[in-house]
Amino acid sequence: MGPTRKPNVCRRLSRRALGCFSRDAGVVQRTNLGILRALVCQESTKFKNVWTTHSKSPIAYERGKIYFDNYRRCVSSVASEPRKLYEMPKCSKSEKIEDALLWECPVGEILANSSDYKSSLIALTAHNWLLRISATTGKILEKIYLASYCKFRYLSWDTPQEIIAVKSAQNKGSAVARQAGIQQPVLLYLAVFRVLPFSLVGILEINKKIFGNITDATLSHGILIVMYSSGLVRLYSFQAITEQFMQQKLDLGCACRWGGTTGTVGEAPFGIPCNIKITDMPPLLFEVSSLENAFQIGGHPWHYIITPNKKKQKGVFHICALKDNSLNENLFTVTASGRVVKKSFNLLDDDPEQETFKIVDYEDELDLLSVVAVTQIDAEGKAHLDFHCNEYGTLLKSIPLVESWDVTYSHEVYFDRDLVLHIEQKPNRVFSCYVYQMVCDTGEEEETINRGS
């Protein structure tokens, strides 16, 4: 049963103007977001397709900014038409940005430079440079040369907004070595940094001689996660590994002698030596088997999400308590961002013959569940974005997307406060971006048009 009392926006605005709230800034923020949620969901509010653009390179979105040309051109999405924030100078193929993360200023910390109080883009280039770029001007603020002994390719947060992990491509070895049956013992490297100011934790070598025939490894929340082709997932403490197996503490910008070579840590051509090499199997924290190594961990108390390791179970998720592996029998939906949203399935059930759910996510600031549903009409698909109350599951708003939806293409849909953004990848590396903004339609415009016709 849903709530019967609707929030009154005018009353909330009046109370805010009079200061009728706690001095806690969080109360004011939650009130503001409550007002925005009421505006988003009211019947007269529409989401209008304000502009569309196409590109031959991938398009990325992060907190009101749309990135083109491998993150070298940044456009604000908070306008009725594209507004370029910056465009970095053209570069060679080796200097292109391959991956990036948005870093935002920490609250309550005293920072060395005034520029540090503004958002930055942490970027990884094709030739192994780690850059910190101003998110508003595109100016390079810091740069670190990683190494020449491997190709770094991926960026991720180990601890969000605090510690990053830079992951190398997997070492396949030379074609001659593979033909001769010679396997490379080192699968990949993980470089770990604290951000702002950049400080090195270390570079970890992932070696098959220690872990066996592993297929991948990653770092998340201080946990080294190692994966096997059988579906087995094993967890180890990265801190314990660092304390036991770090060969030498390294500091960025300091002179270092390593392997008979002297240089400055983090500067070319010396870079950063691999200073964490595991020589014995570290203590195992936990292991579990999951289909395609699908595994997520989090919550309080700690829980983990897996897919039972059988092909017929694909699309089925189990939530289990970490302390005793007990299965949580409550019904749930796992969103693309990894959040778990408890919901009665009969409220959000699709009919494959009429429409199917393609993307489900949770907007945490507005406490709304967003669902992209696609209806196939002959050869063309049409999609709409639905907002559901996260507490009761009731449908609050449905937004039709004007562009057609081809289910064979790759799609991303972002709902960010008063913005809806759809990024589509078509064949032959053609990328399209459709931007929708919230419009409070009072009906006056329609009446004016009718009177003039």
Side-chain angles (χ1 to χ4, degrees), residues 106-120:
V107 178
E109 293 188 24
I110 298 175
L111 304 175
N113 304 306
S114 58
S115 63
D116 296 342
Y117 288 93
K118 297 181 180 180
S119 300
S120 301

Side-chain angles (χ1 to χ4, degrees), residues 38-242:
L39 290 173
V40 166
C41 295
Q42 70 183 8
E43 186 176 352
S44 61
T45 299
K46 311 294 182 185
F47 278 78
K48 182 181 178 182
N49 178 212
V50 290
W51 56 276
T52 298
T53 189
H54 308 281
S55 172
K56 283 288 187 180
S57 61
I59 301 172
Y61 173 79
E62 191 74 48
R63 291 188 178 273
K65 297 181 178 67
I66 306 172
Y67 296 95
F68 300 90
D69 304 330
N70 300 111
Y71 294 95
R72 303 197 77 83
R73 182 162 62 95
C74 178
V75 171
S76 171
S77 65
V78 192
S80 57
E81 59 184 31
R83 182 171 63 86
K84 185 170 71 175
L85 295 177
Y86 65 81
E87 185 167 5
M88 300 174 69
K90 292 190 179 298
C91 66
S92 65
K93 189 175 180 180
S94 66
E95 295 175 299
K96 78 169 186 175
I97 295 173
E98 296 212 323
D99 203 359
L101 296 171
L102 184 67
W103 178 88
E104 297 183 288
C105 171
V107 178
E109 293 188 24
I110 298 175
L111 304 175
N113 304 306
S114 58
S115 63
D116 296 342
Y117 288 93
K118 297 181 180 180
S119 300
S120 301
L121 198 67
I122 300 174
L124 174 65
T125 70
H127 61 337
N128 276 4
W129 282 88
L130 188 64
L131 310 177
R132 185 167 73 89
I133 302 169
S134 168
T136 53
T137 67
K139 180 183 178 182
I140 296 176
L141 305 175
E142 288 183 81
K143 55 191 301 186
I144 299 167
Y145 180 63
L146 296 173
S148 59
Y149 51 81
C150 69
K151 172 71 174 71
F152 284 98
R153 186 164 288 171
Y154 311 102
L155 284 177
S156 63
W157 290 110
D158 171 35
T159 303
Q161 302 296 315
E162 294 181 17
I163 300 175
I164 60 170
V166 191
K167 181 177 173 180
S168 76
Q170 292 193 8
N171 187 2
K172 303 295 185 182
S174 66
V176 175
R178 290 198 301 270
Q179 287 176 359
I182 302 172
Q183 289 192 349
Q184 294 293 326
V186 178
L187 179 69
L188 55 86
Y189 295 87
L190 291 167
V192 185
F193 298 87
R194 293 185 178 88
V195 294
L196 210 66
F198 269 122
S199 62
L200 175 68
V201 177
I203 295 186
L204 170 65
E205 173 190 272
I206 304 297
N207 198 311
K208 292 182 180 180
K209 289 183 178 179
I210 302 299
F211 293 104
N213 193 25
I214 56 175
T215 56
D216 202 1
T218 190
L219 197 64
S220 177
H221 292 84
I223 301 294
L224 175 65
I225 303 173
V226 175
M227 289 156 269
Y228 296 80
S229 59
S230 64
L232 185 66
V233 178
R234 286 178 171 165
L235 276 60
Y236 304 88
S237 166
F238 178 67
Q239 181 179 347
I241 289 172
T242 301

Side-chain angles (χ1 to χ4, degrees), residues 229-291:
S229 59
S230 64
L232 185 66
V233 178
R234 286 178 171 165
L235 276 60
Y236 304 88
S237 166
F238 178 67
Q239 181 179 347
I241 289 172
T242 301
E243 292 172 354
Q244 185 176 355
F245 298 107
M246 181 179 287
Q247 297 179 335
Q248 181 180 332
K249 179 81 168 66
L250 301 176
D251 295 308
L252 296 174
C254 294
C256 171
R257 182 170 179 82
W258 192 278
T261 304
T262 302
T264 302
V265 178
E267 293 185 5
F270 187 76
I272 305 173
C274 177
N275 63 334
I276 307 175
K277 295 189 177 182
I278 300 173
T279 54
D280 297 301
M281 180 66 80
L284 178 67
L285 295 180
F286 178 77
E287 70 175 13
V288 69
S289 183
S290 180
L291 184 66

